[in-house]
């Protein structure tokens, strides 16, 4: 869906949080979409790892903006972990 919007280039897709973290260094995206529920490493754990990588990163590196998505009807417990 995002690839059909003007001005947006999808630079990578990952099947789980572990793969997403591995691709971050190589692809250096400006925006990361994470599902709360993913195999191997869920979205919340992946987000925490992204936030931890910020510390000790070179000055010229920038953190991507992260958007969390979920198919869950409620967000109980999720907001507290962000």
């Amino acid at each position: 869906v995002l690839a059909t919007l003007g001005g947006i280039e999808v630079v990578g897709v990952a099947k789980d949080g572990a793969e997403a973290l591995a691709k971050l260094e190589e692809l250096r995206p400006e925006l990361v979409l994470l599902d709360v529920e993913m195999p191997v490493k869920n979205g919340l754990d992946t987000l925490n790892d992204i936030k931890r990588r910020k510390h000790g990163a070179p000055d010229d590196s920038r953190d991507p903006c992260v958007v969390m998505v979920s198919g869950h009807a409620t967000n109980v417990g999720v907001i507290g972990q962000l």
Side-chain angles (χ1 to χ4, degrees):
V1 172
L2 289 176
T4 64
L5 300 173
I8 295 178
E9 176 186 0
V10 176
V11 297
V13 176
K15 65 182 178 288
D16 57 54
E19 184 179 339
L21 289 170
K23 288 185 174 189
L24 275 177
E25 295 298 318
E26 173 191 347
L27 300 175
R28 300 180 59 94
E30 294 178 18
L31 174 69
V32 174
L33 297 176
L34 292 175
D35 193 336
V36 172
E37 299 251 346
M38 296 187 293
V40 181
K41 181 181 281 279
N42 69 42
L44 295 172
D45 290 342
T46 303
L47 175 61
N48 285 330
D49 285 350
I50 291 170
K51 289 173 18 180
R52 271 195 288 276
R53 287 178 180 214
K54 171 183 172 179
H55 303 293
D59 290 336
D60 65 343
S61 69
R62 59 180 164 66
D63 290 334
C65 294
V66 178
V67 175
M68 301 293 295
V69 296
S70 174
H72 291 287
T74 64
N75 60 9
V76 176
V78 172
I79 300 300
Q81 293 189 32
L82 297 176

